[in-house]
Amino acid sequence: MTAERSAEAPTEGSESSEGSEGREDLPSDDLARLAELHGVATSYQPSADRTVTASATALALALAALDVDTSTPGAVGAALDARERKLRERLLPPTVVCWSGAEPEALAALPAGTRLHIETEQGESRATADQLPPGVHRLTATAPDGRTATSHLVVAPPRVPAPPGRSYGLLVQLYSLLSRRSWGMGDLGDLADLAAWAGRARGAGFVQVNPLHAAVPGAPTDPSPYRPSSRRFPDPVHLRVEDVPEFPYVEDRERVRGLLERAGRLREAVLEKGELIDRDAVWEAKREALELVRAVPLGPGRRAAYVDFLAREGQALEDHATWCALAEVHGSDWQRWPQGLRDPRSPETDRARGELMDRVDFHCRLAWLTDGQLTAAQRIAREAGMPVGIVHDLAVGVHPAGADAWAQQEYFAAGMSVGAPPDAFNARGQDWGLPPWRPDRLAESGYEPYRRLLRALFRYAGALRIDHVMGLFRLWWVPQGHAPTEGTYVRYDAEAMLAILVLEASRAGAVVIGEDLGTVEPGVRETLRARGVLGTSVLWFERDWDGGGRPLPPESWRADCLATATTHDLPPTAARLTGEHVQLRDSLGLLTRPLEQERAEASADTGEWLELLSRLGLLQGSHGGHCASEEEAEIQAVHRFLLRTPARMVGIWLPDGVGDRRPQNLPGTWDQYPNWRLPIADAEGRAVTLEELAESARVRALVEVLRGEAVRRE
């Protein structure tokens, strides 16, 4: 979610030499105190020397989303008294964190003589928190004065698993990776094939992909993988239909032939005719094929596996499939459905579920099939020798009209959207259109929806990249109908959020990578590092911000990170080196300064990096002594530089391997640029297939720059 320019900013400072900015809408002392007690920030720092006070309107609306009445001064006073009394009298917070080997502060603060009763996940009863197994347990405390409190006790290891040695890997947007077998966009068969080739033939340690969460259906579908309908369940559009075991047994072979021909036309349109990826057309063809597949009876073993899946996923899957079935009838925005159906627990919804049970089962079946192919991709990656395997991406939120927002309404803050405050590069701030989770409801539930989400993703992930990982600590809440400038930060219990993350990652043996680009409040990176969460370092932004802004030499980089040359939101390396990214932004009217000034700044920026690469002796031609072009040599030099850093993981943006010029996403655009719809292409814009990537001398040369050296430099 981080835009290019905001990622260039130095981190926030903790002190301000400037007073709060003047506002007519300043909060009263009582309102400010009430906000602070609910974790709603009364100010923020866009830079180290500047503090901005949140407006009374922003505080009141954020508190209203937490069910706190601030409609009158009297209501504010009453709410403040009630909150202070509750905090003063409570024995325990709703969720208590216990890092293995350390006594929780909340337990140490209990009155002397307080009795504990702990019911563990495993069903055991304990009278002490000593030597508890990892998990989320039920804790009851009884004080000598008769007060009792029940809390969720999260016991977590101190750190997430570390990467098993240093490795390099490939970064790719899966939809952009078309093979000669895919149906117009990359699929899970392509992912498994890429992982098998990269691991076996090229010694890669991982493949990182975009979020594969379920999208909001409809035509046209929002193509962004970062605004999904559900983060809990994957999108069946990624299925390789031919790999479904029942597919060969479909009886209507004429329709199958027709669908395969249709898939071929979709594939050829992208690969041969230069058309954009048409996700809606791909899904329509796959949906028809999967309807035919569903008519094939499952064998006894497959039936048993499906029943187990239904039992494991339980209510969450039933809710998701019900939303999908209702969306087919009433449209994909549940807030426009008949009133009774807007509540997933209403009698009307229960009755509709029964009437649509056939469609509900169809969508349950799709979730099962997709889960199976995701699991197979990770298994194939590990069998290919990858120490990590597939790195999946967790989006920061969900679409307000989608399945999760419907099924988990009690956990979302009504009337609020996640975004970013104004900063030096974006005076208007940002509104991402994603409803935030309510921190109070999460804590009261023992973070159940968050736990289930992580557990589902870790089932088929060797590592998890968390988009905007700063959201574990705080999120910028923007009231609906207001500009992003009228938002405010709301805090989450970062210790609890991290403890759940560490617990689930440890159970899965998975690595965690946090996307921490852009403005980060003091202490966040240090806290994440202490818990073993890797950061994200992108070459062009790694500068000595405290010492003149020069490119940061490799030995000064942090070790606990995934180091790359670019990301999906940034220009490919070839475009950065040539300055073509400036021309692209100018052609779309996105520049805020004269073109020549932007060009000069971009050229100077690139020149400083090339000068450093030259001084370090990295501009030496390709691996093997020959380069087809100066540009190719420079791209290889950039990756040689990444190897000079101590980064535990080093990533190659796969399109860089063929000189692709086009970013997959251009922040600040909607329909002006084909975001999320471009196939991987060469320098001339010709689509390149997976088969061609595997045979490409240029890709092989770039990979060989990293292969072996990444391990030797451990």
Side-chain angles (χ1 to χ4, degrees):
M1 302 300 298
T2 303
E4 175 182 356
R5 294 304 300 268
S6 63
E8 296 175 6
T11 58
E12 294 178 358
S14 58
E15 300 294 332
S16 174
S17 60
E18 188 176 307
S20 299
E21 297 192 347
R23 287 180 183 267
E24 296 181 2
D25 190 21
L26 288 172
S28 67
D29 290 345
D30 280 358
L31 180 60
R33 173 66 177 155
L34 180 61
E36 289 171 351
L37 291 178
H38 283 276
V40 179
T42 58
S43 65
Y44 74 98
Q45 290 184 291
S47 60
D49 61 349
R50 188 164 157 258
T51 296
V52 178
T53 301
S55 69
T57 299
L59 300 187
L61 290 173
L63 287 167
L66 297 171
D67 296 330
V68 179
D69 183 8
T70 62
S71 57
T72 65
V76 171
L80 180 57
D81 289 343
R83 183 65 174 172
E84 289 178 332
R85 184 171 59 254
K86 179 178 181 180
L87 293 176
R88 186 170 57 247
E89 295 177 354
R90 78 179 185 185
L91 284 177
L92 293 170
T95 294
V96 174
V97 171
C98 176
W99 299 103
S100 297
E103 182 182 18
E105 292 182 8
L107 298 189
L110 289 171
T114 298
R115 290 181 290 109
L116 301 181
H117 177 264
I118 300 169
E119 183 179 344
T120 70
E121 277 189 354
Q122 296 76 22
E124 301 174 347
S125 292
R126 303 280 188 94
T128 174
D130 295 338
Q131 303 300 315
L132 283 172
V136 180
H137 313 303
R138 197 71 175 166
L139 165 66
T140 301
T142 304
D145 61 8
R147 286 180 297 153
T148 63
T150 301
S151 180
H152 304 274
L153 178 61
V154 181
V155 179
R159 294 170 59 86
V160 301
R166 196 181 199 213
S167 64
Y168 92 93
L170 305 175
L171 283 60
V172 65
Q173 299 282 288
L174 180 56
Y175 59 82
S176 72
L177 181 72
L178 280 76
S179 71
R180 289 291 175 186
R181 295 182 178 179
S182 49
W183 289 27
M185 62 181 282
D187 60 34
L188 292 172
D190 296 322
L191 176 59
D193 208 18
L194 175 68
W197 168 77
R200 294 181 186 278
R202 294 291 169 245
F206 62 91
V207 172
Q208 178 180 305
V209 294
N210 54 288
L212 303 183
H213 311 316
V216 177
T221 301
D222 184 346
S224 172
Y226 291 93
R227 277 171 57 84
S229 172
S230 173
R231 297 188 295 174
R232 177 68 177 75
F233 294 98
D235 198 317
V237 75
H238 300 115
L239 281 169
R240 170 67 64 83
V241 175
E242 295 91 330
D243 288 350
V244 176
E246 288 73 37
F247 181 73
Y249 302 101
V250 172
E251 293 184 356
D252 193 341
R253 303 315 298 175
E254 187 65 32
R255 285 193 65 190
V256 168
R257 279 191 294 274
L259 285 167
L260 292 175
E261 290 172 0
R262 190 161 142 201
R265 290 193 295 272
L266 290 169
R267 179 172 58 245
E268 290 170 8
V270 177
L271 296 178
E272 308 296 339
K273 300 179 181 178
E275 295 184 14
L276 298 175
I277 292 168
D278 188 342
R279 186 189 185 283
D280 294 330
V282 172
W283 172 236
E284 184 59 28
K286 288 190 177 183
R287 186 193 61 76
E288 290 186 29
L290 292 165
E291 297 275 10
L292 295 175
V293 166
R294 182 167 172 260
V296 177
L298 295 174
R302 292 274 289 167
R303 167 60 61 181
Y306 180 46
V307 170
D308 282 352
F309 178 80
L310 293 174
R312 186 186 74 193
E313 300 305 319
Q315 184 69 56
L317 176 60
E318 184 174 279
D319 286 344
H320 176 73
T322 298
W323 182 91
C324 293
L326 288 170
E328 292 178 340
V329 178
H330 300 286
S332 58
D333 184 352
W334 63 269
Q335 297 172 61
R336 297 177 180 272
W337 292 355
Q339 188 66 42
L341 298 180
R342 298 176 195 176
D343 179 358
R345 304 290 168 255
S346 72
E348 292 88 345
T349 297
D350 188 58
R351 184 164 52 252
R353 181 185 295 113
E355 294 169 353
L356 296 170
M357 188 52 67
D358 182 68
R359 302 309 298 165
V360 171
D361 181 71
F362 175 66
H363 291 289
C364 287
R365 184 82 64 94
L366 295 183
W368 173 57
L369 294 175
T370 313
D371 183 88
Q373 291 195 8
L374 284 162
T375 303
Q378 172 63 3
R379 184 186 68 250
I380 289 168
R382 296 300 296 272
E383 289 174 350
M386 287 188 167
V388 174
I390 310 300
V391 181
H392 284 279
D393 198 344
L394 173 61
V396 72
V398 296
H399 198 289
D404 283 2
W406 175 74
Q408 301 174 4
Q409 291 174 52
E410 67 270 30
Y411 294 108
F412 288 101
M416 289 289 155
S417 175
V418 175
D423 58 28
F425 301 110
N426 192 331
R428 292 173 294 184
Q430 300 176 56
D431 184 345
W432 300 335
L434 309 169
W437 264 338
R438 285 182 53 160
D440 56 337
R441 295 276 175 83
L442 285 177
E444 290 163 3
S445 72
Y447 294 84
E448 182 178 9
Y450 177 53
R451 277 189 279 149
R452 289 182 175 276
L453 169 61
L454 292 175
R455 196 172 302 156
L457 292 170
F458 279 130
R459 272 204 305 274
Y460 44 72
L464 185 64
R465 174 193 179 271
I466 300 181
D467 188 43
H468 193 70
V469 72
M470 296 81 79
L472 299 181
F473 295 76
R474 65 179 187 177
L475 284 171
W476 184 258
W477 285 20
V478 180
Q480 288 180 4
H482 292 256
T485 52
E486 287 301 312
T488 188
Y489 277 114
V490 175
R491 286 215 164 271
Y492 293 76
D493 185 341
E495 184 178 41
M497 298 285 278
L498 277 172
I500 297 293
L501 176 62
V502 171
L503 173 64
E504 296 300 339
S506 299
R507 284 172 161 170
V511 176
V512 177
I513 303 162
E515 185 271 292
D516 57 353
L517 300 174
T519 302
V520 184
E521 67 175 321
V524 166
R525 287 194 175 104
E526 293 77 8
T527 300
L528 292 170
R529 183 170 62 247
R531 296 301 172 195
V533 177
L534 302 184
T536 300
S537 293
V538 178
L539 180 130
W540 308 102
F541 304 147
E542 291 297 314
R543 289 177 170 270
D544 182 10
W545 295 112
D546 296 324
R550 299 286 296 176
L552 200 63
E555 64 273 11
S556 298
W557 283 42
R558 54 182 171 173
D560 299 320
C561 74
L562 166 63
T564 68
T566 190
T567 74
H568 58 267
D569 280 335
L570 299 173
T573 306
R576 174 83 66 170
L577 290 168
T578 60
E580 292 178 38
H581 65 302
V582 176
Q583 192 65 46
L584 174 61
R585 293 179 65 81
D586 178 65
S587 69
L588 296 173
L590 299 177
L591 298 185
T592 57
R593 298 179 296 174
L595 173 59
E596 290 309 315
Q597 186 178 349
E598 293 275 359
R599 277 179 175 164
E601 182 178 298
S603 178
D605 180 88
T606 302
E608 287 182 347
W609 279 103
L610 291 175
E611 190 275 330
L612 177 58
L613 297 177
S614 179
R615 190 166 70 247
L616 293 174
L618 301 177
L619 285 166
Q620 54 184 275
S622 74
H623 191 92
H626 173 72
C627 256
S629 67
E630 180 180 356
E631 170 203 294
E632 188 177 348
E634 291 172 349
I635 292 175
Q636 292 182 16
V638 163
H639 289 84
R640 287 193 187 92
F641 178 93
L642 295 178
L643 277 183
R644 290 280 187 96
T645 74
R648 298 295 303 274
M649 300 172 72
V650 178
I652 296 175
W653 177 240
L654 188 55
D656 276 352
V658 287
D660 200 342
R661 258 62 172 173
R662 305 174 302 179
Q664 284 294 313
N665 178 49
L666 191 58
T669 64
W670 177 244
D671 56 0
Q672 308 100 308
Y673 184 80
N675 295 318
W676 317 113
R677 289 174 288 169
L678 294 170
I680 296 175
D682 61 20
E684 286 71 46
R686 184 188 68 85
V688 179
T689 66
L690 171 58
E691 293 86 353
E692 290 170 325
L693 285 164
E695 296 297 324
S696 167
R698 180 167 176 168
V699 171
R700 185 164 56 249
L702 180 58
V703 165
E704 289 302 316
V705 166
L706 298 183
R707 185 183 183 188
E709 293 183 46
V711 175
R712 287 196 295 273
R713 292 181 60 83
E714 260 188 74

